[in-house]
Structure formats: structure tokens, C-alpha cells
Amino acid sequence: MDVRVTLKKNYEFRRLYYKGKTAVTPYLVVYSMKTGRGANRVGYTVSTKLGKAVVRNRARRRLREVYRLNADKLISGVDMVIVARSACVTADFAKIEKAFMHACGELGLIKGERK
């Protein structure tokens, strides 16, 4: 799918934090909630505690790429927020990707898997 829909509004993020399901890994946290829409909507959060803007933007780019590469493996109709943790800054890309897929598996977001 070429078109990526992102979460941008504060209330959309807060709704997921309070009402969504959570999966925690050493590298990232995934909050998700099924919406029934046709497409997935994704938001990314990187705290200022992780470093200066260059570091945060790199972490955000890596999270976006992890999602982009694995979006076709996920079910549709889900809102999701991916939050970077401090280990994400220094981790290998493969470890972040594995952690993301593990979190999605815990939440039952992978196609063909039932939770």
C-alpha cells in the first residue's frame, strides 16, 4: 500500500495509550486498537530523554522503516502507536525489527495468527 496514514492529533495518541492494548519489548512499546477502518494508522513517539534531535529523528526514521517493511504482514483496520525506548537508539536494525514483530504477535496483529 503506497498511502501511509499517520496519527497526528494528541487525542488520537492519548486514546491509544488509555484504551489500547500494549506490548512491551526492550527496544520499543506498541499500543494498538482495532478500529475496523480499511487502512492502518500509525503514530511514532520518541522522547526527548533519548537524546538530541539528530538521535531522535534517526530513531523515528528506523521505526518508520520497520513498519514500512512489515506492513503487509499485519492485519488492516488497526490504529497503532510505536514508542521508542532508550535501547532503540543503539540497537541493530534487525533487533528492532524482530522486537516489533514480536510485539505485533503478542497483540494478535499478524495476518494468519490468532490471539
Side-chain angles (χ1 to χ4, degrees):
M1 181 169 77
D2 283 331
V3 178
R4 285 188 214 105
V5 184
T6 57
L7 296 173
K8 294 209 169 55
K9 304 282 186 196
N10 190 331
Y11 72 87
E12 294 171 329
F13 280 82
R14 279 185 299 160
R15 187 185 71 222
L16 278 166
Y17 293 145
Y18 294 119
K19 293 187 178 178
K21 288 193 225 165
T22 309
V24 179
T25 72
Y27 304 103
L28 50 88
V29 180
V30 178
Y31 295 89
S32 73
M33 191 164 77
K34 293 183 176 147
T35 60
R37 288 190 170 94
N40 289 349
R41 299 190 309 165
V42 186
Y44 306 93
T45 303
V46 182
S47 170
T48 55
K49 293 176 187 174
L50 297 188
K52 298 198 185 256
V54 173
V55 173
R56 296 194 310 268
N57 288 335
R58 181 169 189 259
R60 197 174 296 113
R61 282 195 309 272
R62 294 171 95 197
L63 293 178
R64 276 200 303 260
E65 184 66 4
V66 163
Y67 178 79
R68 186 187 71 82
L69 292 173
N70 295 291
D72 58 331
K73 298 173 190 157
L74 304 176
I75 62 173
S76 58
V78 175
D79 281 0
M80 178 184 309
V81 172
I82 305 169
V83 180
R85 299 182 83 187
S86 57
C88 180
V89 173
T90 56
D92 294 339
F93 184 81
K95 288 182 180 176
I96 297 170
E97 189 171 23
K98 185 177 176 185
F100 175 71
M101 292 309 290
H102 176 76
C104 289
E106 276 186 32
L107 295 169
L109 301 178
I110 299 175
K111 285 181 186 172
E113 287 187 17
R114 286 282 161 221
K115 179 78 181 165

